[in-house]
Amino acid sequence: VTGRWHQGVEAMMAAADTNGGAVGIGGNICHIHYRDLTADPLGAINGLYRHFDMDLSPEAGAAMTVEMNRAKRGGYGRNVYRFNDHGLDARRERSFFATYMKRFGIAEEIPI
């Protein structure tokens, strides 16, 4: 599974390179950090719409708010993951994703 994730981040970086970094209004790639999505879901969705130069309708925003209030964190509760619980070496895994994390400003969530 780790190998597939590594292939995925390599593909995302290549896609960003192909699309001029995919930054700014009109870029066809928009990155949303998981922390931002979970901290402020509606804010993240509004940011997504702004990225693509679109407006989130008040009705859609209201419906999303109702759903988010009904099922906090998507109904999943708090997730706590440990590398060793899954037979993974944290330093090795972190090294696989270091370039991706640095490039897209992704903070380390789990201390190693």
Side-chain angles (χ1 to χ4, degrees):
V1 172
T2 297
R4 300 267 306 160
W5 277 102
H6 191 246
Q7 290 172 342
V9 298
E10 291 293 327
M12 283 188 271
M13 289 189 293
D17 291 342
T18 302
N19 291 285
V23 295
I25 300 298
N28 61 2
I29 298 173
C30 179
H31 297 275
I32 297 176
H33 290 211
Y34 179 75
R35 278 186 161 171
D36 296 338
L37 180 62
T38 57
D40 181 12
L42 196 54
I45 297 300
N46 273 305
L48 175 70
Y49 272 73
R50 277 191 309 276
H51 177 86
F52 290 106
D53 201 20
M54 299 170 65
D55 294 317
L56 179 65
S57 73
E59 297 81 13
M64 289 178 193
T65 298
V66 167
E67 182 60 22
M68 286 181 278
N69 288 332
R70 185 189 69 74
K72 297 288 185 189
R73 295 185 56 84
Y76 292 103
R78 187 166 183 342
N79 298 317
V80 177
Y81 302 105
R82 292 174 196 83
F83 288 97
N84 59 350
D85 289 347
H86 302 281
L88 302 172
D89 177 84
R91 292 191 196 294
R92 181 174 180 260
E93 297 303 317
R94 187 68 47 78
S95 72
F96 284 151
F97 300 99
T99 302
Y100 169 80
M101 292 173 71
K102 182 177 180 180
R103 177 161 181 187
F104 295 112
I106 299 170
E108 295 178 2
E109 296 184 23
I110 301 171
I112 57 173

